[in-house]
Amino acid sequence: MAEVIIVKDPQQAAVLYATTVANALKNDPNLVLGLATGSTPVQAYRELAKIIQAENIDVSQVQGFALDEYAGLSEDHPESYHNVIQRTVTQVLNLTPELVHVPNGSMESIQTAGKDYDEAIECAGGIDIQILGIGTDGHIGFNEPGSSLSSGTRIKTLTQQTREDNARFFNSIDEVPTHCITQGIGTIMKARHVFLLAFGENKADAVVQTV
Ligand code: PGA
């Protein structure tokens, strides 16, 4: 069942996500979280971190699975999603780094990396709570509109719009990778609970189309 919840501001959405996850963590210290990069979820992670600290919730066994990664960008690059997830999630929530997974964007193993990633999610028991943003063109993860609803994790080409949107994190658009590896819509929809957050007028069209 999908529910559209209109909130006053991003802070209210952050609290909604954070309290849901914190309550789930109290019942299940082995919770599996689906993680997203981008500006949208940052406040939600911070809010969750506040509750975890205030209530001294044990997160040492929590597993995390990021949505996506650039293909062919070194994991050491500051804007690789390995690094972004480390900075914005693993450190903020104080998760165990070895239990936080990001798809492998290395070109050497890209043909099998998607299947390996989906198997790792399955081995972990599936994702309990997935957080998502949405691109201005309606992409989810890096699944552009038109992606198969049953798709698994796989390599995709980034659209010009998405590369332009993400150019702000690089010195120029030429540095933005052209390909990525992303959880598929099928992978994402296997999560038991999905929070898709969207803020601001520039997301309105994408939200309307999605709903
Ligand atoms: P944003 O990106 O959170 O930075 O707006 C969302 C997305 O591209 O999925």
Side-chain angles (χ1 to χ4, degrees):
M1 185 197 83
E3 190 182 4
V4 179
I5 304 174
I6 298 171
V7 290
K8 192 166 106 285
D9 54 22
Q11 176 59 14
Q12 271 193 3
V15 169
L16 194 61
Y17 168 80
T19 50
T20 304
V21 174
N23 287 337
L25 278 169
K26 287 180 206 162
N27 290 324
D28 180 7
N30 297 305
L31 205 69
V32 182
L33 293 177
L35 306 169
T37 55
S39 47
T40 303
V42 169
Q43 210 165 335
Y45 298 137
R46 288 204 193 116
E47 206 52 44
L48 177 57
K50 274 196 226 159
I51 305 180
I52 288 170
Q53 270 183 2
E55 302 191 22
N56 203 14
I57 299 172
D58 177 18
V59 294
S60 62
Q61 299 306 314
V62 171
Q63 294 210 55
F65 286 91
L67 277 178
D68 43 16
E69 176 59 290
Y70 291 114
L73 188 70
S74 161
E75 284 180 15
D76 299 334
H77 190 287
E79 293 307 327
S80 80
Y81 287 176
H82 275 79
N83 264 318
V84 175
I85 287 284
Q86 168 79 8
R87 278 199 306 272
T88 61
V89 187
T90 313
Q91 285 173 7
V92 171
L93 299 182
N94 203 17
L95 300 181
T96 305
E98 294 73 32
L99 298 182
V100 179
H101 313 276
V102 179
N104 184 351
S106 155
M107 291 314 283
E108 282 83 60
S109 53
I110 202 82
Q111 295 301 339
T112 51
K115 192 169 155 282
D116 292 346
Y117 200 67
D118 284 343
E119 281 172 9
I121 293 174
E122 232 163 84
C123 266
I127 289 170
D128 291 304
I129 304 178
Q130 173 72 55
I131 190 166
L132 295 175
I134 187 167
T136 55
D137 65 355
H139 70 232
I140 287 172
F142 276 133
N143 299 280
E144 299 294 350
S147 295
S148 161
L149 297 182
S150 60
S151 48
T153 304
R154 69 222 182 286
I155 188 167
K156 293 287 282 181
T157 308
L158 297 178
T159 61
Q160 183 63 15
Q161 177 70 58
T162 297
R163 293 184 69 235
E164 282 170 16
D165 285 350
N166 287 11
R168 66 191 195 276
F169 299 115
F170 294 83
N171 291 324
S172 79
I173 189 162
D174 299 334
E175 286 184 19
V176 183
T178 53
H179 290 79
C180 64
I181 175 166
T182 181
Q183 283 190 33
I185 299 289
T187 313
I188 292 167
M189 292 313 289
K190 279 188 194 156
R192 295 180 186 94
H193 193 160
V194 176
F195 274 88
L196 189 155
L197 310 182
F199 308 129
E201 216 174 314
N202 67 336
K203 298 289 176 75
D205 246 13
V207 171
V208 168
Q209 298 296 329
T210 305
V211 171

